[in-house]
Amino acid sequence: MPRADWRGQRVLVSAGPTQEALDPVRFLSNRSSGKMGYAVAEAARDRGAEVVLVTGPTALPPPAGMAVVTVTTAQEMADALSQRFAWATVVVMAAAVADFRPTEPARQKIKKQGQSRLSLELEPAPDILAMLSAMRTSQLLIGFAAETEDLVPHAQAKLLAKGLDLIVANDVTRVGAGFGSDDNAAVVLSRTGPPREFGLMPKRRLADELLTAALELARA
Ligand code: C5P
């Protein structure tokens, strides 16, 4: 008998990388596969929630039983999420959004002829979580922190800086976990309770653990 403990919740999930154009044929992006966000969206759906998945470009098939909105840039992701934010009771921001983007993408393909060096000028991309956090009415806000060092202190700082309820911190340098992998290990931090550590497990199981922790917080 499947659990239906998320029935009545409206869950907005972001997943995957963003792509920021350098010129008409090139972009800046990152190694996110989208698997963790898709696992959260599927777990919430299977537990009875209504789900909208906003996804950057990934190789994953669109999950059934939810609305899927595909976007490319951080700006498009920010727009898609802010349009649906008022509808949501819970927002899970698993996407690996660009922190910086080219200030002005070249209109024509950048040529290598005659250049011994090429500098790119970048500007900050919109910080979506900070923006959503400022728009918040009663939504539970959950973020992710992919770190390569000092996992817990960095994640704790993001939890506070972005005004989140929960943050899932994972060490992306750990073998068998993180980007592209089917498994993940994480520490889940909240503003109130102690950190919870989850050892290496399938992303889908970690997604279920996260939803259970979020529901406890929503009911507290
Ligand atoms: O990139 P960073 O580790 O700071 O990401 C932490 C959280 O902030 C993630 O949940 C990510 O989805 C979110 N984020 C965002 N907008 C950005 C960068 C990150 O919402 N421009």
Side-chain angles (χ1 to χ4, degrees), residues 14 93-99 125-129 143-147 158 162:
S14 73
M93 193 68 207
V97 185
D99 289 324
D127 186 328
I128 302 176
L129 261 181
F144 277 71
E147 305 291 350
K158 283 179 193 174
K162 301 197 188 204

Side-chain angles (χ1 to χ4, degrees), residues 46-128:
D46 292 348
R47 289 166 69 164
E50 258 185 88
V51 180
V52 175
L53 173 64
V54 175
T55 176
T58 74
L60 303 173
M66 66 185 74
V68 180
V69 181
T70 55
V71 296
T72 305
T73 64
Q75 188 60 57
E76 287 169 12
M77 187 171 276
D79 293 343
L81 291 169
S82 47
Q83 274 167 29
R84 293 163 181 84
F85 188 65
W87 164 85
T89 56
V90 178
V91 178
V92 184
M93 193 68 207
V97 185
D99 289 324
F100 288 93
R101 63 186 177 192
T103 310
E104 217 170 318
R107 278 178 218 250
Q108 308 297 336
K109 187 178 169 194
I110 298 167
K111 298 287 185 206
K112 65 173 177 244
Q113 281 87 355
Q115 309 219 53
S116 59
R117 256 168 211 259
L118 177 66
S119 301
L120 298 174
E121 191 176 81
L122 306 178
E123 64 180 13
D127 186 328
I128 302 176

